[in-house]
Amino acid sequence: MRATPARARRWLTAAGAVLALTAVAACGGNSGGGESGSGSADKADLTWQFWIGGTEDQAAWQKVADQAHTDHPGITVKLQGTDWNNYWSKIGTLLASGKAPCIIGMQSLRLTSYANAMLPLDDLMQKYGLKTEEFDKPIMDGLKSDGKQIAIPYDSGPMVIFYNKDLFKAAGVPDPKPGWTMDEFKAAAKKLTSAGKTGLVTTPSDLGTASWVRTMTGAEPLAEGKLNLTDSKFVDGFTNWANFVRTDKIAPQVPSGNTDFETTQFVSGKSAMQLNGPWSLIDTLGKVKFNLGIAPIPAGPDGSKTYTAGSGFGISRSCKTPDAAFQAIMSMTSEKPQTTLAAAGRAYPARTSAHPAWFTAAKIPEAKEVIDYASENSVPLVTSKNWVQVNDLLTRFGTQALNGELPPDQALKTIQDQAGAGS
Amino acid sequence: MVTVNDTVAPAGTARPGRRPALRRDGRYASVFLAPSLGGLALFTLFPTAMALAISLFDWPVFGERKFLGIENYTQLLGDPVFRRVVLNTTLFVVLYVPLNVIVSLALATWLGPKIRGRQAFRVLFFIPVMTPMVANVMVWRLLFQPGGLLDSGLQSWFGVDAPNFLGSSDWAMPAIVAMSIWQGFGYNFLVFSAALDQVPQSQLESAQIDGAGPFQRFRYVTWPMITPSLFFATTMTLITSFQVFAQPFILTQGGPGVSTQTIVMYVYNQGWQFLSMGLASAAGWVLFVIIMGITAIQFVGQRKWVNYDV
């Protein structure tokens, strides 16, 4: 059954047609506008894409969405949820296709990657009189890109140490206080490491690793927007951090790519300390069977220094009713929903007036002192455009650095070489 | 054939010969084939061609697209990470395919008609294929991780630490292969079981009467008869194992370093994590060419060893 020349020609024509079609599609570019918003400044049906953990989460956030309708009867906000991991690829395609919903959940660490497709909010903030001073400053700054406000925060939080009070007591180690030093931390961790248990558990991650480096040497991962990982101060801090596992052995070896490892290790009582954010505090409190304490990150030579991260709501460029969307966002980040969320033990609120409700829900006496202290000593972790890739590389090669497979300086050089071009 | 055509086309209504009837058959056939051909064009040919077109562009998810020609391909081939990723994928295939075939064929042969509880075993062996990969991986992670089942077992029985299976570049790939074989052998096992059941008992018995031992019976009677199934199983397993994604993605996320990252994971990361569609499509096409090439070689090679004359 050999193809006759005529048949072959027909096939070629067909294949050619497919390719031509493809080329047309390829040149088509971004066409089509957002469909999700319609109406005027006070009347619109809006869609809101957000990361949602489960049905309970959905119900809690639906209440936040409903606040917009309560304040502006003409505006309704429909919540569309996706779990955290799939959220980012979904948002990427939605924003790229120009069919993104009006309101988009945005995390500070990912903001720079998506900022191009988001509407800067500064004009709207002025027009509707949003008072920035009512929010935590670090996270307000953390949701800026190139000096423009991209999202309005609902939560924030500096990184702090979670610790197991029972293990501390059993080992005869005093509870850590704000201002405790790196030496005191290491001595405590050494004492707590015995009989299959470790003083600390740490895994490579942008926020965690960068916080350790910053408190130890003051080095930051970016300098003037460019990756700065091979800077000698950064290398020193990173090496000190990797040594917790490599040489000090106060923390267990880490498996690759297991994002739960730190939490399961700490919650099950196998490790006495972990670096974490206030957003997980109440959730962790519900999981652990021991007395949970929190402390600031130990102070290096220049004091205790940490990073803040948080999330908020922004507006996609394809939104046709940005005014209505902004009014909805103002309602969603107003005092009432923030207080309700805080009292329910969800995110540590970005609005300062909602903090007391969260501290009441947290039920940890020292929480206020510790988080206030950490907030004062924290800055937002500002990221680069290719941050998702940087973080991916950091987890890959950071694992090798911790486990002693790759010298820490070499791990950093590899990350910098791989990611450097696109920053 | 002529008689059939005569009955289909009444005498006198059509021109002499077979052409009109054939043409009509062809027309009917194309009507029946149209939906699936349409589907093939829309969901297979078009995306494949589209990916080829995208692979010639710098195609970020947001922002300007730029025509690059073959630059994405030269970038890939010059990138030590991508070369390592291809090597990892090849290593996985080289370890996984033979082991999978050996394990499934050995178990299928062992589980002959005389074994009691044969059906129960079959179900048991097939369960891992049916359970969701994510659940399987979770269980294996508890087994493999530091302080996990293997580690604490070795510590309490022998007082030694197990290797950090998922955190060591040397152990991560073997750990993934082991998990994959457990997960995947059930499918080939069923294929081989069915093929072995087709081998006539009478032939095996006459070979036995002629003095052939168990090994000779397998080599000269059973083996030739199951070669079509072996060919099917190895071809399919090769194709799917070149596309391995879920196990390393969930178990190690391609780490430590890039020691367990595979081509499909690379495509996923470039496209959906780093939002660089052009590079992702180019890597996808590299994989496509590799798979096409190997499958073609297998089809050429089968003439030498696959026996269809039974």
PDB file of all heavy atoms in Angstrom, chain B residues 1-11 13-14 17-18 21 24:
ATOM      1  N   MET B   1     -14.359 -12.406  -3.359  1.00  0.00           N
ATOM      2  CA  MET B   1     -14.578 -10.963  -3.327  1.00  0.00           C
ATOM      3  C   MET B   1     -15.512 -10.518  -4.441  1.00  0.00           C
ATOM      4  O   MET B   1     -16.415  -9.713  -4.228  1.00  0.00           O
ATOM      5  CB  MET B   1     -13.222 -10.247  -3.486  1.00  0.00           C
ATOM      6  CG  MET B   1     -12.486 -10.052  -2.185  1.00  0.00           C
ATOM      7  SD  MET B   1     -13.545  -9.320  -0.942  1.00  0.00           S
ATOM      8  CE  MET B   1     -12.435  -8.230  -0.139  1.00  0.00           C
ATOM      9  N   VAL B   2     -15.307 -11.091  -5.640  1.00  0.00           N
ATOM     10  CA  VAL B   2     -16.121 -10.697  -6.793  1.00  0.00           C
ATOM     11  C   VAL B   2     -17.588 -11.013  -6.534  1.00  0.00           C
ATOM     12  O   VAL B   2     -18.470 -10.183  -6.777  1.00  0.00           O
ATOM     13  CB  VAL B   2     -15.626 -11.400  -8.079  1.00  0.00           C
ATOM     14  CG1 VAL B   2     -16.487 -11.017  -9.253  1.00  0.00           C
ATOM     15  CG2 VAL B   2     -14.177 -11.035  -8.317  1.00  0.00           C
ATOM     16  N   THR B   3     -17.843 -12.164  -5.953  1.00  0.00           N
ATOM     17  CA  THR B   3     -19.222 -12.543  -5.716  1.00  0.00           C
ATOM     18  C   THR B   3     -19.881 -11.598  -4.720  1.00  0.00           C
ATOM     19  O   THR B   3     -21.028 -11.208  -4.883  1.00  0.00           O
ATOM     20  CB  THR B   3     -19.312 -13.979  -5.161  1.00  0.00           C
ATOM     21  OG1 THR B   3     -18.407 -14.057  -4.084  1.00  0.00           O
ATOM     22  CG2 THR B   3     -18.965 -14.998  -6.225  1.00  0.00           C
ATOM     23  N   VAL B   4     -19.127 -11.225  -3.742  1.00  0.00           N
ATOM     24  CA  VAL B   4     -19.681 -10.295  -2.742  1.00  0.00           C
ATOM     25  C   VAL B   4     -20.098  -9.003  -3.423  1.00  0.00           C
ATOM     26  O   VAL B   4     -21.195  -8.502  -3.251  1.00  0.00           O
ATOM     27  CB  VAL B   4     -18.648 -10.001  -1.636  1.00  0.00           C
ATOM     28  CG1 VAL B   4     -19.145  -8.889  -0.744  1.00  0.00           C
ATOM     29  CG2 VAL B   4     -18.377 -11.248  -0.843  1.00  0.00           C
ATOM     30  N   ASN B   5     -19.197  -8.491  -4.275  1.00  0.00           N
ATOM     31  CA  ASN B   5     -19.498  -7.246  -4.964  1.00  0.00           C
ATOM     32  C   ASN B   5     -20.719  -7.387  -5.873  1.00  0.00           C
ATOM     33  O   ASN B   5     -21.503  -6.461  -5.977  1.00  0.00           O
ATOM     34  CB  ASN B   5     -18.295  -6.803  -5.794  1.00  0.00           C
ATOM     35  CG  ASN B   5     -17.309  -6.048  -4.920  1.00  0.00           C
ATOM     36  OD1 ASN B   5     -17.726  -5.299  -4.062  1.00  0.00           O
ATOM     37  ND2 ASN B   5     -16.029  -6.301  -5.134  1.00  0.00           N
ATOM     38  N   ASP B   6     -20.818  -8.553  -6.486  1.00  0.00           N
ATOM     39  CA  ASP B   6     -21.970  -8.773  -7.381  1.00  0.00           C
ATOM     40  C   ASP B   6     -23.280  -8.674  -6.614  1.00  0.00           C
ATOM     41  O   ASP B   6     -24.251  -8.103  -7.095  1.00  0.00           O
ATOM     42  CB  ASP B   6     -21.868 -10.158  -8.032  1.00  0.00           C
ATOM     43  CG  ASP B   6     -20.779 -10.137  -9.099  1.00  0.00           C
ATOM     44  OD1 ASP B   6     -20.368  -9.007  -9.440  1.00  0.00           O
ATOM     45  OD2 ASP B   6     -20.331 -11.200  -9.532  1.00  0.00           O
ATOM     46  N   THR B   7     -23.282  -9.210  -5.412  1.00  0.00           N
ATOM     47  CA  THR B   7     -24.524  -9.157  -4.662  1.00  0.00           C
ATOM     48  C   THR B   7     -24.809  -7.734  -4.170  1.00  0.00           C
ATOM     49  O   THR B   7     -25.943  -7.316  -4.078  1.00  0.00           O
ATOM     50  CB  THR B   7     -24.499 -10.094  -3.439  1.00  0.00           C
ATOM     51  OG1 THR B   7     -23.341  -9.763  -2.692  1.00  0.00           O
ATOM     52  CG2 THR B   7     -24.478 -11.545  -3.849  1.00  0.00           C
ATOM     53  N   VAL B   8     -23.743  -6.987  -3.851  1.00  0.00           N
ATOM     54  CA  VAL B   8     -23.953  -5.624  -3.353  1.00  0.00           C
ATOM     55  C   VAL B   8     -24.477  -4.733  -4.474  1.00  0.00           C
ATOM     56  O   VAL B   8     -25.427  -3.986  -4.302  1.00  0.00           O
ATOM     57  CB  VAL B   8     -22.649  -5.041  -2.770  1.00  0.00           C
ATOM     58  CG1 VAL B   8     -22.806  -3.560  -2.470  1.00  0.00           C
ATOM     59  CG2 VAL B   8     -22.273  -5.789  -1.506  1.00  0.00           C
ATOM     60  N   ALA B   9     -23.851  -4.830  -5.665  1.00  0.00           N
ATOM     61  CA  ALA B   9     -24.274  -3.972  -6.767  1.00  0.00           C
ATOM     62  C   ALA B   9     -25.092  -4.789  -7.766  1.00  0.00           C
ATOM     63  O   ALA B   9     -24.552  -5.660  -8.451  1.00  0.00           O
ATOM     64  CB  ALA B   9     -23.044  -3.405  -7.471  1.00  0.00           C
ATOM     65  N   PRO B  10     -26.406  -4.561  -7.827  1.00  0.00           N
ATOM     66  CA  PRO B  10     -27.238  -5.346  -8.733  1.00  0.00           C
ATOM     67  C   PRO B  10     -26.764  -5.195 -10.179  1.00  0.00           C
ATOM     68  O   PRO B  10     -26.356  -4.113 -10.591  1.00  0.00           O
ATOM     69  CB  PRO B  10     -28.625  -4.724  -8.564  1.00  0.00           C
ATOM     70  CG  PRO B  10     -28.577  -3.957  -7.297  1.00  0.00           C
ATOM     71  CD  PRO B  10     -27.167  -3.571  -7.090  1.00  0.00           C
ATOM     72  N   ALA B  11     -26.829  -6.278 -10.910  1.00  0.00           N
ATOM     73  CA  ALA B  11     -26.321  -6.278 -12.277  1.00  0.00           C
ATOM     74  C   ALA B  11     -27.042  -5.222 -13.114  1.00  0.00           C
ATOM     75  O   ALA B  11     -28.247  -5.022 -12.987  1.00  0.00           O
ATOM     76  CB  ALA B  11     -26.510  -7.659 -12.912  1.00  0.00           C
ATOM     77  N   THR B  13     -27.033  -1.997 -13.010  1.00  0.00           N
ATOM     78  CA  THR B  13     -27.144  -0.632 -12.482  1.00  0.00           C
ATOM     79  C   THR B  13     -25.784   0.050 -12.414  1.00  0.00           C
ATOM     80  O   THR B  13     -25.701   1.271 -12.461  1.00  0.00           O
ATOM     81  CB  THR B  13     -27.737  -0.617 -11.055  1.00  0.00           C
ATOM     82  OG1 THR B  13     -26.934  -1.447 -10.236  1.00  0.00           O
ATOM     83  CG2 THR B  13     -29.169  -1.082 -11.082  1.00  0.00           C
ATOM     84  N   ALA B  14     -24.724  -0.740 -12.236  1.00  0.00           N
ATOM     85  CA  ALA B  14     -23.410  -0.126 -12.127  1.00  0.00           C
ATOM     86  C   ALA B  14     -22.535  -0.524 -13.291  1.00  0.00           C
ATOM     87  O   ALA B  14     -22.816  -1.495 -13.976  1.00  0.00           O
ATOM     88  CB  ALA B  14     -22.739  -0.580 -10.821  1.00  0.00           C
ATOM     89  N   GLY B  17     -17.064  -4.094 -13.121  1.00  0.00           N
ATOM     90  CA  GLY B  17     -15.854  -3.939 -12.300  1.00  0.00           C
ATOM     91  C   GLY B  17     -16.205  -3.627 -10.859  1.00  0.00           C
ATOM     92  O   GLY B  17     -17.375  -3.547 -10.481  1.00  0.00           O
ATOM     93  N   ARG B  18     -15.168  -3.431 -10.026  1.00  0.00           N
ATOM     94  CA  ARG B  18     -15.398  -3.304  -8.583  1.00  0.00           C
ATOM     95  C   ARG B  18     -15.344  -1.865  -8.098  1.00  0.00           C
ATOM     96  O   ARG B  18     -15.617  -1.586  -6.954  1.00  0.00           O
ATOM     97  CB  ARG B  18     -14.348  -4.117  -7.829  1.00  0.00           C
ATOM     98  CG  ARG B  18     -14.430  -5.596  -8.125  1.00  0.00           C
ATOM     99  CD  ARG B  18     -13.512  -6.356  -7.245  1.00  0.00           C
ATOM    100  NE  ARG B  18     -12.116  -6.102  -7.553  1.00  0.00           N
ATOM    101  CZ  ARG B  18     -11.127  -6.639  -6.871  1.00  0.00           C
ATOM    102  NH1 ARG B  18     -11.376  -7.401  -5.847  1.00  0.00           N
ATOM    103  NH2 ARG B  18      -9.883  -6.389  -7.196  1.00  0.00           N
ATOM    104  N   ALA B  21     -18.515   0.069  -6.134  1.00  0.00           N
ATOM    105  CA  ALA B  21     -18.815  -0.475  -4.807  1.00  0.00           C
ATOM    106  C   ALA B  21     -17.726  -0.050  -3.816  1.00  0.00           C
ATOM    107  O   ALA B  21     -18.015   0.381  -2.695  1.00  0.00           O
ATOM    108  CB  ALA B  21     -18.897  -1.979  -4.869  1.00  0.00           C
ATOM    109  N   ARG B  24     -18.128   3.459  -2.881  1.00  0.00           N
ATOM    110  CA  ARG B  24     -19.201   3.685  -1.918  1.00  0.00           C
ATOM    111  C   ARG B  24     -18.760   3.255  -0.520  1.00  0.00           C
ATOM    112  O   ARG B  24     -19.006   3.934   0.460  1.00  0.00           O
ATOM    113  CB  ARG B  24     -20.451   2.927  -2.349  1.00  0.00           C
ATOM    114  CG  ARG B  24     -21.680   3.448  -1.679  1.00  0.00           C
ATOM    115  CD  ARG B  24     -22.930   3.047  -2.402  1.00  0.00           C
ATOM    116  NE  ARG B  24     -22.949   1.616  -2.599  1.00  0.00           N
ATOM    117  CZ  ARG B  24     -23.551   1.026  -3.647  1.00  0.00           C
ATOM    118  NH1 ARG B  24     -24.136   1.759  -4.575  1.00  0.00           N
ATOM    119  NH2 ARG B  24     -23.550  -0.282  -3.768  1.00  0.00           N
TER     120      ARG B  24
END
